[in-house]
Amino acid sequence: MYLVKTPSLLKPLAKDLLWHVPTDKREVYFTFDDGPTPGVTEAALDLLKQYDAKATFFCLGKNVEAHPELFARIVGAGHAVGNHTYDHPDGWKTAPMAYLRNVIETKRSIHSKLFRPPYGRITPAQVNALKSRFRLVMWDVLSADFDTS
């Protein structure tokens, strides 16, 4: 089970995390996680280009290494990129130092100050270890595009 919307009670307790961008405009900020993934990333990039829209792609270090041409296409199209760890560990099940090493390892491939924790799971110790190096980005609405049921 997962929540599609972040509970409003959680946001004030996690002030070091970016949950939304205040704006007076009618704007949507598109983000994609876990790529670059052949087939999926090209389709997303083509659709974004069709509508002259930009997005932020939170990429896995191992996927950037495996598909550098796709990562170059994301960057070349003017989209923002962010660190999503090297291989998608669950922050609630990973020791703080191991988690930090996983994130820092990804900096070799992804040069960005943006970081999004996989599954949205991150402990206070991990936040404290990362907040001076990254802007920790969460989300308001989860699309649940991973759910095939």
Side-chain angles (χ1 to χ4, degrees):
M1 187 177 120
Y2 52 89
L3 298 173
V4 175
K5 289 193 65 96
T6 303
S8 57
L9 292 172
L10 181 62
K11 294 176 185 180
L13 299 174
K15 293 183 180 188
D16 290 322
L17 307 177
L18 177 64
W19 294 96
H20 70 280
V21 177
T23 181
D24 292 331
K25 299 177 185 174
R26 292 181 58 154
E27 296 178 308
V28 174
Y29 292 86
F30 291 112
T31 62
F32 298 91
D33 293 354
D34 304 339
T37 305
V40 176
T41 300
E42 294 97 337
L45 288 170
D46 291 345
L47 194 59
L48 290 164
K49 183 177 181 179
Q50 180 181 341
Y51 289 96
D52 194 28
K54 297 296 179 196
T56 302
F57 288 78
F58 288 93
C59 299
L60 296 175
K62 71 176 188 172
N63 288 353
V64 170
E65 290 175 5
H67 310 289
E69 71 292 343
L70 276 178
F71 186 71
R73 184 172 168 202
I74 292 168
V75 173
H79 300 286
V81 295
N83 184 324
H84 195 50
T85 71
Y86 186 80
D87 59 3
H88 214 269
D90 184 329
W92 293 352
K93 298 177 182 176
T94 308
M97 285 310 297
Y99 194 82
L100 182 60
R101 279 192 300 275
N102 195 291
V103 174
I104 298 303
E105 180 179 2
T106 305
K107 284 187 64 113
R108 291 181 308 180
S109 304
I110 302 169
H111 307 288
S112 175
K113 289 282 190 184
L114 302 176
F115 173 74
R116 173 174 283 161
Y119 312 103
R121 296 179 180 167
I122 190 164
T123 67
Q126 292 159 347
V127 168
N128 286 333
L130 294 170
K131 70 182 182 182
S132 66
R133 298 178 175 150
F134 294 96
R135 185 69 177 124
L136 307 175
V137 182
M138 303 303 277
W139 56 83
D140 274 308
V141 178
L142 182 63
S143 68
D145 61 330
F146 54 84
D147 190 344
T148 59
S149 60

